[in-house]
Structure formats: structure tokens, C-alpha cells
Amino acid sequence: MSTAATSSTSTASFADTLKLYSPQKATYLWFIINAVCLFVSAALVVLVAHGPESRGDHFARQCYLIYNLGTSIVWCTEVALHLLGGGESDGGSGSGAGGNEQQSISRRDKLAKYVELVLAAYFVLDSAYVVARWKMKLDHTSAMLGDLVVNVLVYAWATVVTWRLTKRDMDYYERIDSEARSKERTGV
């Protein structure tokens, strides 16, 4: 086998592996990730809300910077994996569960995901820029609290959505298990 063919095969295999971690296929994983982001967002709201006069203000700013860059990277990764995940819509059959036929994502929804990916990439770069400003001892705290409140709302919504997808998948597999047990009892 040629080197190009081997490289192509390993690239395809890597892409297939990444697809397994897409939000449509790994709903429980993304539920956990979104729930953790929600919890950290809420904790940082409390920490930052104590204001600049707090002794922990420097610590709060550092936590925020790490959080902001981290959640931006998570968002970018989630959208990229969604696009890579086979183009199924969230109402489709993510991991094969919740329906018999896969629904292709519409052209409009795919375009919206690409726009979201560009936005997520912008926020990764912006977060890195804010970290650089902090390293240069320049102000970066003008919108921390507002950003955190928005993040709490967004991650609350994302957590609910991914929980519903996870619940749908669990219900689907429970039905399959139930049908299999029923067939075993009846000997069919």
C-alpha cells in the first residue's frame, strides 16, 4: 500500500473517531460538558460580583480569563464536531436513537453552523487577545460580569437541550432492551 493511501486511510479513520464525539453522537458527554460550564459560569458570577474591592479580585480575573478562553475553545470544538458529525440535525437520530431514519441538516442550518463556527473562532481569538492584554497589565474587566451572566443563560439552555437529547437516546435504548427481553421471554 502506498504512503498516500495509508495517510488517507489514517486521516479518514481519525475523522471517523472525531465524529463519535460530535454533539449528535455523544449526547451524554456534551450534557456533562455543558453542565460543568454552567456550574463554573454561575460560580464565577458570584466571584466576580463581589467587585474590585474584594481581596479575591485578582483571582477572579485570572479565573475568568482561563474560563473565557476555555469555554470559547469548547464552543469552537462543539460546533466543529457538529459539522463533522455527519450533518444530522438535533431533531434527527443522533446516535441512531430516537428515530429510524437520519435527517440531513438543511442547507440553511448548515450555513448557520458555519457562521457559528466563525463566531466561535473569533471568540477564541478574542479570548486569547484578552489574556495577552492581561499579561501586559492592561484593563480587560469592562464586560466580565455581563459576559458571565449571558454564559449562565446560554449554558443553562445548552444543558437542557443536551439533556433532552440524552434522555431521548436513553429512552430509545431502553425500548430496544425491553423488546429484546420480551422476545427472550416469548422465545421468538
Side-chain angles (χ1 to χ4, degrees):
M1 186 181 271
S2 73
T3 306
T6 305
S7 175
S8 175
T9 302
S10 65
T11 302
S13 142
F14 179 69
D16 289 340
T17 301
L18 285 178
K19 287 178 185 182
L20 295 174
Y21 296 101
S22 71
Q24 311 92 296
K25 303 237 186 290
T27 56
Y28 188 69
L29 171 67
W30 285 99
F31 165 72
I32 296 296
I33 290 170
N34 287 323
V36 166
C37 288
L38 172 61
F39 175 76
V40 172
S41 299
L44 278 171
V45 165
V46 172
L47 192 61
V48 169
H50 281 92
E53 63 278 350
S54 160
R55 287 191 333 192
D57 184 52
H58 185 71
F59 176 71
R61 288 178 191 205
Q62 287 178 325
C63 289
Y64 171 78
L65 291 171
I66 293 166
Y67 158 86
N68 193 35
L69 184 59
T71 56
S72 296
I73 291 169
V74 166
W75 180 26
C76 198
T77 302
E78 184 173 8
V79 176
L81 287 174
H82 183 92
L83 287 168
L84 185 64
E88 298 166 5
S89 70
D90 288 339
S93 54
S95 58
N100 292 332
E101 54 191 54
Q102 295 180 341
Q103 298 177 359
S104 292
I105 191 168
S106 73
R107 184 175 275 171
R108 190 182 102 212
D109 289 341
K110 190 172 249 188
L111 178 63
K113 280 293 177 189
Y114 278 110
V115 169
E116 186 179 357
L117 181 60
V118 168
L119 285 171
Y122 166 79
F123 280 102
V124 168
L125 294 174
D126 181 63
S127 298
Y129 173 72
V130 171
V131 169
R133 287 182 55 88
W134 178 73
K135 286 286 200 182
M136 293 184 286
K137 308 278 190 246
L138 300 172
D139 184 36
H140 65 276
T141 58
S142 59
M144 273 190 345
L145 189 59
D147 179 47
L148 288 168
V149 169
V150 168
N151 284 344
V152 166
L153 297 173
V154 168
Y155 282 112
W157 173 79
T159 301
V160 168
V161 167
T162 52
W163 172 249
R164 287 180 179 163
L165 292 172
T166 300
K167 180 84 172 101
R168 178 202 66 199
D169 288 353
M170 287 188 300
D171 290 347
Y172 174 77
Y173 291 118
E174 285 175 14
R175 273 196 318 272
I176 290 174
D177 288 345
S178 176
E179 289 171 8
R181 283 190 297 270
S182 174
K183 286 180 181 178
E184 283 178 0
R185 281 191 295 260
T186 60
V188 176

